[in-house]
Amino acid sequence: MDTVSQSLIYEEFIAQYGDDFRYELIDGQLRDRQSTGLHECVCGEVAGRVFVEIFRLNLERVIN
């Protein structure tokens, strides 16, 4: 979902999506905040490298 055609006011947005951090309200339009492909690739690369160090150092940590 990229946008919706109906404009929302702030109160409607909060009532419907207040607990859902995937969406934001911009100029009355609902926008999907899902990460882009490049962002996901960078995050995956960083998480992978951190995991390797956690494993190498035998730390009792996890990556969420």
Side-chain angles (χ1 to χ4, degrees), residues 44-62:
E45 179 72 23
V46 170
R49 291 176 186 235
V50 170
F51 174 77
V52 167
E53 288 303 304
I54 289 171
F55 187 77
R56 184 180 69 81
L57 296 170
N58 197 27
L59 300 175
E60 294 181 13
R61 302 285 187 262
V62 295

Side-chain angles (χ1 to χ4, degrees), residues 10 12 23 28 30 33 40-41 51 55 59:
Y10 178 75
E12 293 171 327
Y23 301 104
L30 183 65
R33 294 180 50 175
E40 291 173 349
C41 288
F51 174 77
F55 187 77
L59 300 175

Side-chain angles (χ1 to χ4, degrees), residues 6-58:
Q6 178 184 355
S7 290
L8 294 173
I9 62 172
Y10 178 75
E11 289 79 10
E12 293 171 327
F13 172 75
I14 292 300
Q16 293 178 26
Y17 303 98
D19 294 332
D20 192 341
F21 297 108
R22 294 178 301 162
Y23 301 104
E24 61 186 335
L25 188 65
I26 301 176
D27 294 329
Q29 300 298 309
L30 183 65
R31 302 291 175 132
D32 190 347
R33 294 180 50 175
Q34 290 183 352
S35 301
T36 63
L38 179 58
H39 180 266
E40 291 173 349
C41 288
V42 171
C43 289
E45 179 72 23
V46 170
R49 291 176 186 235
V50 170
F51 174 77
V52 167
E53 288 303 304
I54 289 171
F55 187 77
R56 184 180 69 81
L57 296 170
N58 197 27

